[in-house]
Amino acid sequence: MPVAEANSHIVCDARGIAWVDDTNVKVVEIACDHLAYGWSADAMHEQFPHLSLAQIHAALAFFYDHQDDFEREMLLREQEVAAWKSELGESPLQRRLRQLKMSK
């Protein structure tokens, strides 16, 4: 991830992960909420009042400036989760629920 500009409300850590300054919120978390729910900055501010509108707008701007990088990272994470699920198989709870459903 590219380094964020000073006073942009976005900081990148040593691993290149972009964070909203003075929070424990990643830019990707804001971007995912925006994409998944279609929330505007104002709607996001209602959901997360601890973030200022400036921080939310900065996070969205940073996301759109680096959208290809973020989308590549999100796809890799999706693939990792799918691989873990495949490796681990069905959980005992999933197995019991499936059995209950089949017995009805």
Side-chain angles (χ1 to χ4, degrees):
M1 255 335 123
V3 177
E5 295 177 19
N7 299 321
S8 71
H9 295 290
I10 306 301
V11 294
C12 291
D13 66 16
R15 297 175 298 160
I17 297 173
W19 296 81
V20 177
D21 65 351
D22 301 325
T23 71
N24 64 346
V25 178
K26 296 176 187 174
V27 169
V28 71
E29 294 169 350
I30 292 174
C32 285
D33 285 345
H34 172 67
L35 295 173
Y37 304 115
W39 288 345
S40 67
D42 289 331
M44 294 176 86
H45 184 58
E46 288 177 21
Q47 297 295 321
F48 307 106
H50 66 284
L51 298 175
S52 71
L53 276 173
Q55 289 172 316
I56 294 167
H57 281 287
L60 291 173
F62 191 84
F63 166 71
Y64 283 113
D65 282 346
H66 307 288
Q67 188 171 1
D68 290 342
D69 295 330
F70 278 102
E71 287 178 354
R72 206 171 12 263
E73 181 67 24
M74 286 186 261
L75 180 61
L76 285 172
R77 288 183 186 195
E78 259 183 55
Q79 291 169 343
E80 284 177 350
V81 169
W84 292 336
K85 283 182 177 180
S86 174
E87 234 177 80
L88 295 172
E90 192 175 55
S91 74
L93 175 60
Q94 289 171 318
R95 198 173 359 241
R96 285 194 305 269
L97 291 172
R98 184 176 40 76
Q99 290 169 348
L100 282 172
K101 185 177 179 182
M102 291 174 67
S103 68
K104 289 184 178 185

